[in-house]
Amino acid sequence: MMWAASLVWWGLGTALAAEEVESEPISLPQAIEEALQTNLELRQRAIDVGLAETGLTRARSRWDPTLGLSASTSTSNQPNNNLFVGEEVLSISSGRWSASLSQSLPTGGQLSAAWFESRTTSTDETLINPTTVSNGANLSLAQPLLRGGGPAALWDLRRTRLGLTRAQIGWRASVEQAILDVSAAYWRLVAADQRQALAVQSRAIAAESVSDMEDRYDAGFVGSGDVLQMRRAFGAARLSEVGAEAARQQANNALCRLLGRDVRTPPHLTPSDAPLVPESLPDEAAILTSAMANNAGYLQATLDRSTAELAVKGLRNQALPDLALNGDVGLSGLGNTAAEARRTTTSGEFNAWSVGASVSVPLLGRAARANVRQARMDAETARLAFEAAEQDLVLRVQDAVRAVQRDRLQVELATETERVAALALEADRELLTEGRGSSRNVAQSLELLQQAGVALLESQIGLQRSLLELKRVAGTLIAPADLPEPDQVRSAALQ
């Protein structure tokens, strides 16, 4: 019975330990952590988040203040057309500088302030002051009241923020998919590793049975047919071992690819984690509540609906008449020197102001109304898609919970089946030793035990996949604190 017990799950690893292969132990958390930093597809998705962040920066730049500075100087010689001036040529020199600051307002308006100063010198003797300096300060406001005014000025920024949120949710969905892919590849490697161990153990048992049968044949207790039967069983076991070895190498290389390793010279990875069976079954109501708050696909549908509704508001605003309010107030000053000109400017004695309004009404506005109509239909489509996504999420939660329940029962059944198969093989070997059994029964029991071991392995791996899918549906596959920052992954991708 002791040799049959060696076929239990982790006891199978002793067959591989005898191989002189330099292996690299790796756990599932280690594989996931490495993949989140080096997976090639994930690094591409990180760039998408960077593009969305750049778009938000560009949208915010609309409210960046603008500083303007200018300076100029000129000299001109003009023919004299004044009888009271003796000179035949008049020379006029001028210089000017100005500074302005403009700021876009969240209301859609534009506020600007400016200061300018100019100096003019002329050789015209008829002038009272041949040198004059003029100064001026100006403050102006332009504010749309209907089209482009009020909350409409922030709609582009809101859309861009929604786009960034969508990219961030897409990033999390990509991380979740990477975790699922790595986990599935890891469990495939575990399965291939243990299938190879099963094949090695089966071949060893078959070789032992052949040797025992040959000894009994030499002693005259069995016939040549029995020996031939066991040799056939040994050949089948050896063939299974060769196939299992090739399958293990393929699974090893597939995991290396997801980890960003060089598949031309892949390391020999040895998984160190065993499948776990949950102690309790999932609560469907709790899973659905978590999925409504965290499921990436459901959140994407929510964003699509919000984006479509925002588009309707924006296009309705664009269909309004263009009504704008303009205001301007300014101060000016004049003097022979810059100091005198500035003093008269700041005194406020010479001022001016103006207020005005402008309106522009499209007579037909068919294009604007058509755009609003299309946006409303798009919003209705997004709303229906959201309701469908909500229904689909309920179904996915139900399916995921049932899959875990089903796979857990399959593990229990496969465990009992393997135990019974091991007992049957032990009984057939004892009967053959006592001369009451046949080699055919031993070979069949050996094959059934190997099949039972594979079935148990597949049921355990299937349960791990169901548990992972349940976590993805619930949105708990990765905690927010463990979600890698896309800029870190992106910087590695851009190096």
Side-chain angles (χ1 to χ4, degrees), residues 256-285:
C256 288
R257 165 65 176 83
L258 292 174
L259 298 181
R261 305 283 190 95
D262 188 357
V263 296
R264 291 170 294 185
T265 56
H268 186 277
L269 301 177
T270 303
S272 58
D273 285 350
L276 300 176
V277 178
E279 296 181 357
S280 60
L281 294 175
D283 183 355
E284 183 175 322

Side-chain angles (χ1 to χ4, degrees), residues 216 221-222 226 426-442:
R216 294 173 61 81
F221 292 106
V222 296
D226 294 320
E426 180 67 20
D428 287 335
R429 283 176 61 89
E430 291 178 356
L431 290 174
L432 183 61
T433 302
E434 297 172 358
R436 295 183 296 155
S438 67
S439 59
R440 180 183 297 274
N441 292 339
V442 174

Side-chain angles (χ1 to χ4, degrees), residues 323-340:
L323 176 62
L325 176 66
N326 302 288
D328 186 272
V329 59
L331 301 172
S332 61
L334 184 67
N336 295 332
T337 64
E340 183 180 358

Side-chain angles (χ1 to χ4, degrees), residues 301 303-312 315 370-386:
L303 277 178
D304 291 340
R305 184 185 64 174
S306 300
T307 302
E309 292 173 350
L310 187 61
V312 173
L315 291 173
N371 291 336
V372 173
R373 215 165 29 243
Q374 179 178 348
R376 285 174 175 168
M377 289 186 287
D378 292 340
E380 180 64 15
T381 301
R383 186 187 66 80
L384 295 174
F386 170 77

